[in-house]
């Protein structure tokens, strides 16, 4: 990962901590019914803005090219949408007898349901020199946790259509007409989404801190932190192990894409999704905590592993070239 991308990620993580502190100082500002009116500005405007922005920045031509890697896509989809959430669910059955806060455990399940981000997975894949461009659907979150939500499934589906799907499609349509201008001016799409996302996180924690009945013990938080790092490392090893089997036929560059795209989770999509599925839920911020931890953890681990993975890929590619018969 380049210095600029690393500094951007570190700055964003600092901003997350900052907005949580600000929410703690005066939660009434961003709480439901407060001056910011999050029930309207966040639930509808902010979430829609993120996905409209994503639609504008999404390069359809690159997605079409990426879809040609059918076998790689299938591997990532199965791992992300089946193996990852199912394994987490089984693991949580064991953790349910521990003293870990139950809402943090539910949050850990939401992490398992999330798709990979377009940002960190692609940046880290580029840093090593692998393939990129995996797209997954957020519907798994509704399958696993929709029944635990305080919002009816029909309302969730309607809200998703209105604030996620429609803005994304409109963004893509608008992009077709101003594509040249976008390519020339290169608007800061990432910065815009980050600012909106920080506002969503701020109001989420304002709601939490305004509720005096919520209690989070330090032991639960430390255990969740340890679990998240352990899960990431274990799953990165598993994806490496499976994708390097000779019978699957993946190239070293494919393996790099699989490692990052199968194990990284989207904060940009995740927080708005949780805001919709658990709208009005008093424990929403606790459910969000594991995803807020997972995001910087995946950046940290990815950055540390990039040199090792790059060295492995280069050596493997050289080995393949030497094995090719000369004509």
């Amino acid at each position: 990962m380049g210095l600029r991308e690393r500094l951007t990620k570190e700055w964003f993580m600092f901003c997350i901590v900052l907005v949580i502190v600000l929410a703690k100082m005066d939660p009434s500002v961003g709480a439901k019914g407060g001056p910011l009116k999050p029930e309207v500005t966040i639930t509808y405007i902010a979430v829609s803005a993120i996905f409209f922005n994503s639609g504008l920045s999404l390069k359809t031509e690159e997605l079409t090219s990426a879809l040609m890697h059918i076998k790689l896509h299938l591997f990532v989809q199965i791992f992300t949408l089946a193996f990852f959430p199912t394994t987490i669910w089984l693991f949580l059955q064991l953790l349910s007898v521990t003293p870990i806060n139950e809402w943090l455990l539910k949050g850990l399940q939401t992490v398992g349901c999330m798709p990979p981000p377009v940002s960190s997975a692609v940046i880290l894949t580029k840093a090593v020199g692998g393939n990129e461009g995996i797209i997954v659907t957020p519907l798994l979150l509704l399958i696993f946790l929709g029944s635990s939500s305080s919002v009816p499934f029909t309302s969730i589906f309607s809200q998703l259509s209105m604030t996620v799907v429609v803005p994304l499609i409109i963004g893509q349509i608008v992009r077709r007409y101003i594509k040249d201008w976008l390519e020339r001016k290169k608007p800061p799409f990432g910065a815009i989404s980050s600012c909106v996302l920080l506002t969503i996180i701020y109001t989420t924690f304002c709601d939490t801190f305004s509720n005096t009945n919520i209690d989070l013990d330090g032991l639960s938080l430390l255990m969740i932190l340890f679990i998240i790092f352990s899960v990431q490392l274990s799953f990165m090893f598993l994806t490496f192990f499976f994708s390097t089997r000779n019978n699957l036929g993946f190239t070293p560059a494919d393996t790099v894409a699989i490692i990052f795209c199968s194990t990284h989770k989207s904060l940009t999509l995740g927080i708005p999704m949780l805001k919709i599925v658990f709208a009005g839920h008093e424990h929403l911020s606790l459910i969000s905590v594991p995803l807020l931890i997972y995001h910087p953890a995946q950046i940290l681990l990815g950055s540390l592993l990039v040199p090792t993975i790059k060295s492995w890929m280069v050596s493997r590619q050289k080995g393949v070239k030497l094995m090719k018969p000369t004509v």
Side-chain angles (χ1 to χ4, degrees):
M1 182 186 295
L3 178 61
R4 183 178 179 182
E5 289 85 359
R6 188 182 299 114
L7 290 175
T8 300
K9 293 293 181 183
E10 289 174 355
W11 174 250
F12 182 64
M13 286 184 273
F14 169 77
C15 288
I16 290 177
V17 175
L18 180 61
V19 297
I20 293 175
V21 171
L22 291 174
K24 177 65 174 177
M25 291 172 62
D26 189 2
S28 62
V29 176
K32 188 175 181 180
L36 288 183
K37 301 294 182 186
E39 59 270 24
V40 176
T41 58
I42 299 299
T43 303
Y44 296 98
I45 299 175
V47 175
S48 297
I50 281 183
F51 290 100
F52 174 75
N53 188 56
S54 296
L56 276 179
S57 61
L58 211 56
K59 296 182 180 180
T60 313
E61 59 275 13
E62 291 186 2
L63 300 180
T64 304
S65 174
L67 287 172
M68 298 304 292
H69 297 278
I70 296 175
K71 186 167 59 174
L72 187 148
H73 272 272
L74 186 61
F75 184 100
V76 173
Q77 294 285 352
I78 292 174
F79 193 93
T80 306
L81 301 179
F83 183 83
F84 202 126
T86 303
T87 303
I88 292 294
W89 182 82
L90 292 172
F91 185 43
L92 290 182
Q93 305 312 301
L94 299 175
L95 292 178
S96 62
V97 299
T98 67
I100 301 177
N101 185 290
E102 65 170 309
W103 298 105
L104 289 180
L105 293 179
K106 286 183 181 294
L108 201 57
Q109 182 66 73
T110 68
V111 170
C113 296
M114 293 298 161
V118 177
S119 54
S120 60
V122 170
I123 289 171
L124 289 167
T125 302
K126 277 185 175 179
V128 181
N131 296 327
E132 57 183 354
I134 307 300
I135 305 171
V136 293
T137 174
L139 292 179
L140 193 63
L141 180 61
L142 300 181
I143 296 172
F144 269 83
L145 293 169
S147 59
S148 301
S149 169
S150 57
V151 183
F153 182 81
T154 52
S155 297
I156 293 172
F157 183 79
S158 175
Q159 183 84 354
L160 281 174
S161 300
M162 187 165 51
T163 60
V164 177
V165 179
V166 172
L168 191 66
I169 293 173
I170 293 175
Q172 278 285 279
I173 293 172
V174 173
R175 178 182 173 80
R176 296 181 68 177
Y177 291 98
I178 61 172
K179 180 181 174 181
D180 293 338
W181 181 85
L182 292 173
E183 294 293 335
R184 188 170 62 254
K185 296 295 183 180
K186 299 187 183 301
F189 293 117
I192 294 170
S193 290
S194 294
C195 289
V196 178
L197 186 59
L198 287 170
T199 306
I200 296 174
I201 294 171
Y202 170 71
T203 58
T204 299
F205 278 86
C206 280
D207 272 334
T208 297
F209 294 133
S210 63
N211 186 344
T212 56
N213 296 324
I214 291 180
D215 181 35
L216 175 61
D217 62 288
L219 178 61
S220 290
L221 202 56
L222 286 174
M223 292 181 73
I224 287 293
L225 184 65
F226 174 76
I227 290 168
I228 284 173
F229 273 94
S230 300
V231 165
Q232 284 197 49
L233 283 172
S234 300
F235 281 7
M236 290 180 85
F237 172 78
L238 282 175
T239 53
F240 175 80
F241 176 79
F242 289 129
S243 62
T244 51
R245 301 304 92 190
N246 292 332
N247 57 329
L248 292 179
F250 289 122
T251 66
D254 290 336
T255 295
V256 171
I258 287 170
I259 290 173
F260 289 127
C261 294
S262 297
T263 59
H264 281 209
K265 297 296 182 177
S266 175
L267 183 68
T268 305
L269 176 62
I271 294 298
M273 283 288 294
L274 293 181
K275 197 78 174 177
I276 293 170
V277 175
F278 294 96
H281 202 294
E282 63 176 354
H283 294 99
L284 172 59
S285 63
L286 293 185
I287 295 172
S288 306
V289 165
L291 184 58
L292 291 172
I293 295 174
Y294 197 98
H295 180 75
Q298 68 190 11
I299 300 301
L300 176 62
L301 286 176
S303 300
L304 292 174
L305 291 173
V306 159
T308 302
I309 295 175
K310 186 171 185 176
S311 176
W312 168 83
M313 191 185 75
V314 170
S315 64
R316 283 293 298 267
Q317 288 177 332
K318 286 181 178 178
V320 171
K321 289 179 180 179
L322 291 173
M323 291 176 63
K324 289 183 177 180
T326 56
V327 180

